[in-house]
Amino acid sequence: MLKGRHLVEPGDLSLGEMEGLFTLAEKIETEDDYLRESCRGKLLAALFFEPSTRTRLSFEAAMMRLGGSCLGFAEPGSSSAVKGESLADTVRMASSYADVIVMRSPKEGAALLASRYSAVPVINAGDGGHHHPTQTLTDLLTIRRLRRSIGGLNVGFCGDLKFGRTVHSLAKALSRYPDMRMVFISPEELRIPDYIGGGILGKAGVPYTETGDLEKVIGGLDVLYMTRVQRERFFNEEDYIRLKDSYILNTEKMALAKKDMIVLHPLPRVNEIAVEVDDDPRAAYFKQAKYGMFVRMALLASVLGITGVGGSLC
Ligand code: CP
């Protein structure tokens, strides 16, 4: 049961629980009225200390489609954080007004800290360069939908692998599925952290390689996960400008890829996928963003105890 549970990182869910959420998300997507109005009277507090389009709007849309309501702030400047209020006190307050908290912070570990002070479930919507578990649920659901199953795939991650929390969360989650291989494609300065590569993947026995050359490896990939270079996490604007266009996926590079490879991106994109690629049937990033709302509906209904994992009503 997910009722009352926090979601700080993907490892907080078992593979069975994730599978249950995917099944429920598909049911919500395909059965028009399923769970509609089931959260009437419930409140979601969205505490966003960092900008967001997809995560915040899809959570709010998810809650409203379930019949619940939302409150919160979209940037810290409109909260008492600017007066110096601690995260712990902010979360104590929000948890006395709402039934579930969704929060994003530039600080690694913020969601874990929040979960210790909250009387209601805390869902991590991104903590610095650390984790983004509901993006991972979105990514896994998209792979499951478009590749039919999650195991036995060669997944390439390309771009800012150092600061990209979506990459860290997804690589960790994929390492729990059978027969996975991974390729990390980045400039030297933005390599995948050791705690993911040698650490998590090493322990799980997942074979992986690192390269700076996308064109060399794209032909062997089943999934290509593109990411933007994260300007907001650089200390130095010159380094950002030097690295920002390291990879640009265009139709020439797509011509080297398998016919059934899928291209994912957590979005927002800047320059790393040329707009011309959007018309390629392998470009799945806008579908991916849409699936995010359904899996967030499934998650909210589950942590609020409306439905058990798999969709059976409690
Ligand atoms: N994928 C993602 O987290 O997008 P936003 O920053 O727009 O929420």
Side-chain angles (χ1 to χ4, degrees):
M1 286 287 286
L2 296 183
K3 183 179 177 182
R5 300 237 310 257
H6 304 296
L7 178 58
V8 173
E9 58 121 328
D12 292 338
L13 299 172
S14 69
L15 289 187
E17 287 167 340
M18 289 199 286
E19 194 56 33
L21 289 173
F22 302 148
T23 305
L24 181 51
E26 286 180 351
K27 204 168 156 81
I28 291 168
E29 183 190 355
T30 52
E31 292 180 28
D32 263 359
D33 292 331
Y34 193 69
L35 295 185
R36 296 296 150 93
E37 303 303 318
S38 64
C39 288
R40 181 157 293 283
K42 301 285 185 192
L43 277 176
L44 178 153
L47 312 183
F48 277 68
F49 297 92
E50 245 190 4
S52 166
T53 295
R54 273 144 298 276
T55 312
R56 188 172 66 82
L57 296 188
S58 65
F59 261 116
E60 293 186 358
M63 192 55 165
M64 290 191 249
R65 281 169 181 262
L66 293 168
S69 306
C70 305
L71 65 158
F73 50 85
E75 46 96 24
S78 61
S79 79
S80 285
V82 287
K83 301 177 203 160
E85 186 165 41
S86 68
L87 177 63
D89 286 358
T90 304
V91 165
R92 276 194 187 104
M93 291 299 96
S95 86
S96 65
Y97 304 143
D99 301 288
V100 58
I101 291 174
V102 175
M103 68 164 282
R104 171 173 288 187
S105 166
K107 294 184 182 149
E108 282 90 1
L112 180 62
L113 180 85
S115 71
R116 294 190 175 141
Y117 290 92
S118 175
V120 301
V122 170
I123 299 174
N124 182 8
D127 59 329
H130 196 210
H131 280 298
H132 192 346
T134 65
Q135 181 64 48
T136 301
L137 291 173
T138 301
D139 302 339
L140 292 174
L141 174 62
T142 309
I143 295 171
R144 184 180 181 272
R145 288 289 297 271
L146 302 181
R147 298 290 315 203
R148 291 200 180 78
S149 79
I150 302 176
L153 298 171
N154 190 18
V155 180
F157 294 88
C158 180
D160 182 350
L161 310 187
K162 178 179 179 183
F163 296 117
R165 59 192 170 203
T166 63
V167 170
H168 305 160
S169 282
L170 182 58
K172 187 172 179 184
L174 286 173
S175 73
R176 300 161 75 193
Y177 287 86
D179 193 23
M180 297 300 302
R181 284 154 292 134
M182 298 184 201
V183 185
F184 296 106
I185 308 142
S186 72
E188 185 62 28
E189 294 95 326
L190 299 178
R191 283 176 58 189
I192 191 85
D194 284 342
Y195 87 90
I196 300 278
I200 290 165
L201 303 185
K203 264 193 212 126
V206 176
Y208 71 93
T209 54
E210 293 186 72
T211 178
D213 190 344
L214 173 61
E215 279 157 284
K216 198 169 97 188
V217 295
I218 193 169
L221 301 176
D222 301 306
V223 177
L224 173 58
Y225 195 89
M226 294 296 295
T227 61
R228 111 192 127 87
V229 174
Q230 311 235 328
R231 179 181 209 155
E232 64 275 28
R233 314 233 182 269
F234 276 75
F235 291 113
N236 177 333
E237 182 74 2
E238 280 166 26
D239 286 347
Y240 167 72
I241 289 167
R242 183 168 52 80
L243 294 169
K244 71 185 175 67
D245 292 329
S246 299
Y247 301 98
I248 299 178
L249 185 67
N250 55 18
T251 48
E252 284 82 52
K253 293 191 184 85
M254 287 297 284
L256 304 172
K258 291 183 190 173
K259 297 281 172 260
D260 61 351
M261 183 190 80
I262 57 170
V263 182
L264 303 183
H265 191 311
L267 304 178
R269 83 170 141 190
V270 185
N271 275 337
E272 59 281 357
I273 302 181
V275 174
E276 65 197 20
V277 177
D278 296 356
D279 295 329
D280 189 306
R282 296 169 290 182
Y285 28 92
F286 293 120
K287 257 186 217 159
Q288 179 187 359
K290 187 173 173 192
Y291 293 152
M293 181 182 71
F294 297 117
V295 85
R296 289 177 176 118
M297 287 174 78
L299 179 65
L300 288 174
S302 299
V303 298
L304 290 170
I306 305 300
T307 176
V309 159
S312 55
L313 293 171
C314 293

